Amino acid sequence: MRRRSLLLAAVPAGLVTLAGCGDGKSDSSKASASPSASGASVSPPKIVDGPVPAITAGAKFGEKPTVAKGSGEPSKDLAVKTVIAGGGRTVAENDFVQAHYLGQIWSSGKVFDNSYDRKSPLVLQLAEGSVIDGWRYALTGKKAGSRIVMAVPPTWGYGSSGNAQAGIKGTDTLVFVVDVLNTFDSKSSAQGKEVPQTDAALPKIGTNTDGKAPSIDIPKSAAPGKLVSNYVLESDGAEVKAEQTVLCQFQGVVWDGGKTFEQTYGSGRLSQFSLEQMKQVVKGLSEGLTGKKVGSRVLVVVPPDLAYGDTPPSGDVIKKGSTLVFAVDILAAM
């Protein structure tokens, strides 16, 4: 089972509140720690280029690295070294970053966590309170496709309390190797191939990829009685599994009248939620995204029995018996 690995943020209001939740699973058999924030942020660090331990095996981007134990005393500043320079988009603070990583303790070389063995990169936001400050400062300004090695003193790691479950003391400097796979912000969009929308009885979704909300044109005909999940833009990414968490852009409207009840486009945020937990709130949205490819835009039409039925959110444009229409850009999954 996969353990909970990070804090989630910016979920669709009115759908499900997942802040502070992971992928809905835990693993108590192995003490480990992700780069999730563990306390109040502190003043920005001075960033230096070393010392950082050497990578002794697995030196290629995306390979699980083996890292030497730290030699001598680590820097009291944040040491950051780019060992592979990528050519992708530049990471900015508050972006969501998709990355593989390995973390170990400077003094002992003990690995306390890594995503390579799970074969699932994490997706986290480089925002204050969502990730340890060492990551937030070290990765900002780097490019996707880069491998970064950092040595993080306690001040910008887990603080004086450490992380006892993972064997991290409050005096430990932590070493991370991070492969930055991708980075996303509020202007990110799906980038798949256009799929013909030929069914006149279904809403037609815009195919723009500029980060702005796509148009949603709802026909005057009656809403379908069953769940609809169709590609608008189809990518060649991996299929989303039912147990995963997705990062996405989305817009939700009601079939009758076409009024928007929630969207991330233009809001300055993205949405991240567990499909398993979404199933408890809007079951049809969870089912409609399961099996679809990462990087795609999907039309999901959810009938009342798979949405809110006769118990809609209070004070919302969603009424009893409303059919919901979603345009969803699946940016990443973990």
Side-chain angles (χ1 to χ4, degrees):
M1 298 173 65
R2 294 192 303 159
R3 62 174 186 82
R4 186 165 65 182
S5 61
L6 72 160
L7 301 176
L8 304 185
V11 298
L15 293 179
V16 62
T17 301
L18 303 180
C21 295
D23 55 19
K25 297 187 177 184
S26 62
D27 186 351
S28 58
S29 65
K30 180 181 178 182
S32 56
S34 76
S36 300
S38 61
S41 295
V42 294
S43 300
K46 178 182 178 181
I47 297 178
V48 296
D49 59 6
V52 295
I55 296 174
T56 59
K60 295 181 180 179
F61 183 86
E63 289 184 337
K64 179 184 176 181
T66 300
V67 184
K69 185 174 72 171
S71 177
E73 290 297 316
S75 175
K76 296 186 181 300
D77 299 313
L78 176 62
V80 182
K81 183 178 181 180
T82 300
V83 294
I84 297 175
R89 182 176 171 273
T90 301
V91 177
E93 187 170 1
N94 294 316
D95 278 3
F96 281 83
V97 172
Q98 183 180 42
H100 269 304
Y101 72 99
L102 178 141
Q104 68 182 47
I105 297 171
W106 173 284
S107 60
S108 66
K110 175 191 173 184
V111 175
F112 57 83
D113 191 24
N114 86 90
S115 65
Y116 300 92
D117 287 346
R118 294 190 292 272
K119 301 185 185 305
S120 177
L122 61 76
V123 179
L124 55 72
Q125 189 176 24
L126 291 185
E128 184 175 353
S130 293
V131 64
I132 61 172
D133 287 315
W135 272 55
R136 187 160 65 95
Y137 290 113
L139 296 184
T140 297
K142 300 298 187 287
K143 292 182 179 294
S146 297
R147 168 167 281 193
I148 311 298
V149 183
M150 66 180 89
V152 182
T155 302
W156 297 284
Y158 294 98
S160 58
S161 60
N163 186 314
Q165 183 184 14
I168 299 172
K169 301 190 296 292
T171 56
D172 283 333
T173 288
L174 307 179
V175 177
F176 290 97
V177 177
V178 182
D179 287 333
V180 182
L181 303 176
N182 213 335
T183 181
F184 307 95
D185 64 13
S186 60
K187 296 181 180 179
S188 297
S189 290
Q191 298 294 328
K193 181 180 179 180
E194 288 189 26
V195 176
Q197 301 178 67
T198 58
D199 191 339
L202 293 177
K204 187 173 182 179
I205 308 299
T207 57
N208 57 296
T209 57
D210 55 3
K212 296 180 181 179
S215 58
I216 301 179
D217 297 325
I218 297 178
K220 294 181 180 179
S221 56
K226 295 183 178 181
L227 178 69
V228 175
S229 178
N230 293 341
Y231 284 114
V232 177
L233 300 171
E234 184 175 3
S235 178
D236 58 0
E239 292 184 356
V240 177
K241 299 177 181 178
E243 67 272 16
Q244 288 189 299
T245 289
V246 295
L247 176 71
C248 64
Q249 291 266 33
F250 84 99
Q251 181 177 13
V253 306
V254 292
W255 183 284
D256 292 332
K259 188 173 182 180
T260 298
F261 59 85
E262 188 68 31
Q263 69 175 27
T264 59
Y265 300 103
S267 70
R269 65 188 177 96
L270 296 175
S271 177
Q272 189 176 21
F273 54 84
S274 158
L275 293 185
E276 287 186 340
Q277 291 178 317
M278 178 59 74
K279 189 180 295 185
Q280 305 304 313
V281 185
V282 182
K283 185 177 182 180
L285 180 58
S286 175
E287 292 182 354
L289 296 181
T290 300
K292 290 297 187 283
K293 299 173 184 177
V294 173
S296 300
R297 175 170 297 165
V298 182
L299 162 68
V300 184
V301 182
V302 184
D305 62 315
L306 295 177
Y308 291 103
D310 291 332
T311 56
S314 59
D316 204 287
V317 299
I318 302 172
K319 308 301 181 183
K320 288 183 178 180
S322 288
T323 293
L324 308 183
V325 180
F326 293 92
V328 184
D329 286 1
I330 307 171
L331 303 178
M334 63 164 286

Coordinates of all heavy atoms in Angstrom, one line a residue, residues 277-329:
Q277 N -11.9 9.6 -2.6 CA -12.7 10.5 -1.7 C -13.8 11.3 -2.5 O -14.9 11.5 -2.0 CB -11.8 11.4 -0.9 CG -11.0 10.7 0.1 CD -10.0 11.6 0.9 OE1 -9.4 12.4 0.3 NE2 -9.9 11.4 2.2
M278 N -13.4 11.7 -3.7 CA -14.4 12.3 -4.6 C -15.6 11.4 -4.8 O -16.8 11.9 -5.0 CB -13.8 12.7 -5.9 CG -14.7 13.4 -6.9 SD -15.5 14.9 -6.3 CE -14.1 16.0 -6.4
K279 N -15.4 10.1 -4.8 CA -16.5 9.2 -5.1 C -17.6 9.3 -4.0 O -18.7 9.0 -4.2 CB -15.9 7.7 -5.1 CG -16.9 6.7 -5.5 CD -16.3 5.3 -5.5 CE -15.2 5.2 -6.5 NZ -14.7 3.8 -6.6
Q280 N -17.2 9.8 -2.8 CA -18.2 9.9 -1.7 C -19.0 11.2 -1.9 O -19.9 11.4 -1.1 CB -17.4 9.9 -0.4 CG -16.5 8.7 -0.1 CD -17.3 7.4 -0.3 OE1 -18.4 7.3 0.3 NE2 -16.7 6.5 -1.0
V281 N -18.6 12.1 -2.8 CA -19.3 13.4 -2.9 C -19.9 13.5 -4.3 O -21.1 13.7 -4.4 CB -18.2 14.5 -2.7 CG1 -19.0 15.8 -2.7 CG2 -17.5 14.3 -1.4
V282 N -19.2 13.4 -5.3 CA -19.7 13.4 -6.7 C -19.2 12.1 -7.4 O -18.1 12.2 -8.0 CB -19.3 14.7 -7.5 CG1 -20.0 14.6 -8.9 CG2 -19.8 15.9 -6.8
K283 N -19.9 11.1 -7.2 CA -19.4 9.8 -7.6 C -19.2 9.7 -9.1 O -18.2 9.2 -9.6 CB -20.4 8.7 -7.3 CG -20.0 7.3 -7.6 CD -21.1 6.3 -7.1 CE -20.6 4.8 -7.4 NZ -21.6 3.8 -7.0
G284 N -20.0 10.4 -9.9 CA -19.9 10.4 -11.3 C -18.6 11.1 -11.8 O -18.1 10.7 -12.8
L285 N -18.2 12.1 -11.1 CA -16.9 12.8 -11.5 C -15.7 11.8 -11.3 O -14.9 11.7 -12.2 CB -16.7 14.1 -10.8 CG -15.5 14.9 -11.1 CD1 -15.4 15.2 -12.6 CD2 -15.4 16.1 -10.2
S286 N -15.7 11.1 -10.2 CA -14.7 10.2 -9.9 C -14.7 9.1 -11.0 O -13.6 8.7 -11.6 CB -14.9 9.5 -8.5 OG -13.9 8.5 -8.3
E287 N -15.8 8.5 -11.3 CA -15.9 7.4 -12.3 C -15.6 8.0 -13.7 O -15.0 7.2 -14.5 CB -17.3 6.8 -12.3 CG -17.7 6.1 -11.0 CD -19.1 5.5 -11.0 OE1 -19.8 5.7 -12.0 OE2 -19.4 4.7 -10.1
G288 N -16.0 9.2 -14.0 CA -15.7 9.7 -15.3 C -14.2 10.0 -15.6 O -13.8 10.0 -16.8
L289 N -13.5 10.3 -14.6 CA -12.0 10.5 -14.8 C -11.2 9.2 -14.7 O -10.1 9.2 -15.2 CB -11.5 11.5 -13.7 CG -12.1 12.9 -13.8 CD1 -11.5 13.8 -12.7 CD2 -11.9 13.5 -15.2
T290 N -11.7 8.2 -14.0 CA -11.0 7.0 -13.9 C -10.8 6.3 -15.3 O -11.8 6.2 -16.1 CB -11.7 6.0 -13.0 OG1 -11.8 6.6 -11.7 CG2 -11.0 4.7 -12.9
G291 N -9.6 6.0 -15.6 CA -9.3 5.4 -16.9 C -8.9 6.3 -18.0 O -8.5 5.9 -19.1
K292 N -9.1 7.6 -17.8 CA -8.8 8.6 -18.8 C -7.3 8.9 -18.7 O -6.6 8.8 -17.6 CB -9.6 9.9 -18.6 CG -11.1 9.7 -19.0 CD -11.2 9.4 -20.4 CE -12.6 9.3 -20.9 NZ -13.3 8.1 -20.5
K293 N -6.7 9.5 -19.8 CA -5.3 9.6 -19.8 C -4.8 11.0 -19.3 O -5.5 12.0 -19.6 CB -4.8 9.5 -21.3 CG -5.1 8.1 -21.9 CD -4.7 8.1 -23.4 CE -5.1 6.8 -24.0 NZ -4.8 6.8 -25.5
V294 N -3.7 11.0 -18.5 CA -3.2 12.2 -18.0 C -2.7 13.1 -19.2 O -2.2 12.6 -20.2 CB -1.9 11.9 -17.1 CG1 -1.2 13.2 -16.7 CG2 -2.3 11.1 -15.9
G295 N -3.0 14.4 -19.1 CA -2.7 15.3 -20.1 C -3.9 15.6 -21.0 O -3.8 16.5 -21.9
S296 N -5.0 15.0 -20.8 CA -6.2 15.1 -21.6 C -7.2 16.1 -21.0 O -7.3 16.4 -19.8 CB -6.9 13.7 -21.8 OG -6.0 12.8 -22.4
R297 N -8.1 16.6 -21.9 CA -9.3 17.3 -21.5 C -10.5 16.4 -21.7 O -10.7 15.7 -22.8 CB -9.5 18.6 -22.3 CG -10.8 19.3 -22.0 CD -10.9 20.7 -22.7 NE -9.8 21.5 -22.1 CZ -9.3 22.7 -22.7 NH1 -9.9 23.1 -23.8 NH2 -8.4 23.3 -22.2
V298 N -11.4 16.3 -20.7 CA -12.5 15.3 -20.7 C -13.8 16.1 -20.4 O -13.8 16.9 -19.5 CB -12.2 14.3 -19.6 CG1 -13.3 13.2 -19.6 CG2 -10.9 13.6 -19.8
L299 N -14.8 15.7 -21.1 CA -16.2 16.1 -20.9 C -16.8 15.0 -20.0 O -16.8 13.8 -20.3 CB -17.0 16.2 -22.1 CG -18.5 16.2 -22.0 CD1 -19.0 17.5 -21.3 CD2 -19.2 16.0 -23.3
V300 N -17.3 15.4 -18.8 CA -18.0 14.5 -17.9 C -19.4 15.1 -17.7 O -19.5 16.2 -17.1 CB -17.3 14.3 -16.6 CG1 -18.0 13.2 -15.8 CG2 -15.8 13.8 -16.9
V301 N -20.4 14.3 -18.0 CA -21.8 14.7 -17.7 C -22.3 13.7 -16.7 O -22.3 12.5 -16.8 CB -22.7 14.6 -19.0 CG1 -24.1 15.0 -18.6 CG2 -22.1 15.5 -20.1
V302 N -22.7 14.3 -15.5 CA -23.0 13.5 -14.3 C -24.5 13.6 -14.0 O -25.0 14.7 -13.7 CB -22.2 14.0 -13.1 CG1 -22.5 13.0 -11.9 CG2 -20.7 14.0 -13.4
P303 N -25.3 12.5 -14.2 CA -26.7 12.6 -13.8 C -26.9 12.7 -12.3 O -26.0 12.5 -11.5 CB -27.2 11.2 -14.3 CG -26.0 10.3 -14.3 CD -24.8 11.2 -14.6
P304 N -28.1 13.2 -11.9 CA -28.3 13.5 -10.5 C -28.0 12.3 -9.6 O -27.5 12.6 -8.5 CB -29.8 13.8 -10.5 CG -30.2 14.3 -11.8 CD -29.3 13.5 -12.8
D305 N -28.3 11.1 -10.0 CA -28.1 10.0 -9.0 C -26.6 9.7 -8.8 O -26.2 9.0 -7.9 CB -28.8 8.7 -9.6 CG -28.2 8.2 -10.9 OD1 -28.1 9.1 -11.8 OD2 -28.0 7.0 -11.1
L306 N -25.7 10.3 -9.6 CA -24.3 10.1 -9.4 C -23.6 11.5 -9.0 O -22.4 11.6 -9.0 CB -23.6 9.6 -10.7 CG -24.0 8.2 -11.1 CD1 -23.3 7.8 -12.4 CD2 -23.6 7.2 -10.0
A307 N -24.5 12.4 -8.7 CA -24.0 13.8 -8.3 C -24.6 14.0 -6.9 O -24.4 13.3 -5.9 CB -24.4 14.8 -9.3
Y308 N -25.4 15.1 -6.8 CA -26.0 15.5 -5.5 C -27.4 15.0 -5.2 O -27.9 15.1 -4.1 CB -25.9 17.0 -5.3 CG -24.5 17.5 -5.1 CD1 -23.8 18.2 -6.2 CD2 -23.8 17.4 -3.9 CE1 -22.5 18.6 -6.0 CE2 -22.5 17.8 -3.8 CZ -21.9 18.5 -4.8 OH -20.6 18.9 -4.7
G309 N -28.0 14.5 -6.3 CA -29.4 14.0 -6.2 C -30.3 15.0 -5.6 O -30.4 16.1 -6.1
D310 N -31.0 14.7 -4.5 CA -32.0 15.6 -3.9 C -31.4 16.3 -2.7 O -32.1 17.0 -2.0 CB -33.2 14.7 -3.4 CG -34.0 14.2 -4.5 OD1 -34.0 14.8 -5.6 OD2 -34.7 13.1 -4.4
T311 N -30.1 16.3 -2.5 CA -29.4 17.0 -1.4 C -28.3 17.8 -2.0 O -27.1 17.6 -1.7 CB -28.9 16.0 -0.4 OG1 -28.0 15.0 -1.0 CG2 -30.0 15.2 0.3
P312 N -28.6 18.9 -2.7 CA -27.5 19.7 -3.3 C -26.9 20.6 -2.2 O -27.5 20.7 -1.1 CB -28.3 20.6 -4.3 CG -29.7 20.7 -3.7 CD -29.9 19.3 -3.1
P313 N -25.7 21.2 -2.5 CA -25.1 22.1 -1.5 C -26.0 23.3 -1.2 O -26.7 23.8 -2.1 CB -23.8 22.5 -2.2 CG -23.6 21.5 -3.3 CD -24.9 21.0 -3.7
S314 N -26.0 23.7 0.0 CA -26.9 24.8 0.4 C -26.4 26.1 -0.3 O -25.2 26.3 -0.3 CB -26.9 25.0 1.9 OG -25.7 25.2 2.4
G315 N -27.3 26.9 -0.7 CA -27.0 28.2 -1.3 C -26.2 28.2 -2.6 O -25.5 29.1 -3.0
D316 N -26.3 27.1 -3.3 CA -25.6 26.9 -4.5 C -26.5 27.0 -5.7 O -27.7 26.9 -5.6 CB -24.9 25.5 -4.5 CG -23.7 25.5 -5.4 OD1 -23.9 25.4 -6.6 OD2 -22.5 25.4 -4.9
V317 N -25.9 27.1 -6.9 CA -26.7 27.1 -8.1 C -27.2 25.7 -8.5 O -28.0 25.5 -9.3 CB -26.0 27.7 -9.3 CG1 -25.6 29.2 -9.0 CG2 -24.7 26.9 -9.6
I318 N -26.6 24.7 -7.8 CA -27.0 23.3 -8.0 C -28.3 23.1 -7.3 O -28.4 23.3 -6.1 CB -25.9 22.4 -7.5 CG1 -24.6 22.6 -8.3 CG2 -26.4 20.9 -7.8 CD1 -23.4 21.8 -7.7
K319 N -29.3 22.7 -8.0 CA -30.6 22.4 -7.4 C -30.9 20.9 -7.3 O -30.1 20.1 -7.8 CB -31.7 23.0 -8.3 CG -31.5 24.5 -8.6 CD -31.4 25.4 -7.3 CE -31.2 26.8 -7.7 NZ -31.1 27.7 -6.4
K320 N -32.0 20.5 -6.7 CA -32.4 19.1 -6.6 C -32.5 18.6 -8.0 O -33.2 19.2 -8.8 CB -33.7 19.0 -5.8 CG -33.6 19.2 -4.3 CD -34.9 19.0 -3.6 CE -34.8 19.2 -2.1 NZ -36.1 18.9 -1.5
G321 N -32.0 17.4 -8.2 CA -32.1 16.8 -9.5 C -31.3 17.4 -10.6 O -31.5 17.0 -11.8
S322 N -30.3 18.2 -10.3 CA -29.4 18.8 -11.3 C -28.5 17.8 -11.9 O -27.9 17.0 -11.2 CB -28.6 20.0 -10.7 OG -29.4 21.1 -10.4
T323 N -28.4 17.9 -13.3 CA -27.3 17.2 -14.0 C -26.2 18.2 -14.1 O -26.3 19.4 -14.4 CB -27.8 16.8 -15.4 OG1 -28.8 15.8 -15.3 CG2 -26.6 16.3 -16.2
L324 N -25.0 17.7 -13.8 CA -23.8 18.5 -13.8 C -22.9 18.2 -15.0 O -22.8 17.1 -15.5 CB -22.9 18.2 -12.5 CG -23.7 18.4 -11.2 CD1 -22.7 18.2 -10.0 CD2 -24.4 19.7 -11.1
V325 N -22.3 19.2 -15.5 CA -21.4 19.1 -16.7 C -20.0 19.7 -16.3 O -19.9 20.8 -15.8 CB -21.9 19.9 -17.9 CG1 -21.0 19.8 -19.1 CG2 -23.3 19.5 -18.3
F326 N -19.0 18.8 -16.5 CA -17.6 19.2 -16.2 C -16.7 19.2 -17.4 O -16.8 18.3 -18.2 CB -17.0 18.3 -15.2 CG -17.6 18.3 -13.8 CD1 -18.7 17.4 -13.5 CD2 -17.2 19.2 -12.8 CE1 -19.3 17.4 -12.3 CE2 -17.8 19.2 -11.6 CZ -18.8 18.3 -11.3
A327 N -15.9 20.2 -17.6 CA -14.8 20.1 -18.5 C -13.5 20.1 -17.6 O -13.3 21.0 -16.8 CB -14.7 21.4 -19.4
V328 N -12.8 19.0 -17.7 CA -11.6 18.7 -16.8 C -10.4 18.5 -17.6 O -10.3 17.7 -18.5 CB -11.9 17.5 -16.0 CG1 -10.7 17.3 -15.0 CG2 -13.2 17.6 -15.2
D329 N -9.3 19.3 -17.3 CA -8.0 19.1 -17.8 C -7.2 18.3 -16.8 O -6.9 18.8 -15.7 CB -7.3 20.4 -18.1 CG -7.8 21.1 -19.3 OD1 -8.7 20.6 -20.0 OD2 -7.3 22.2 -19.7

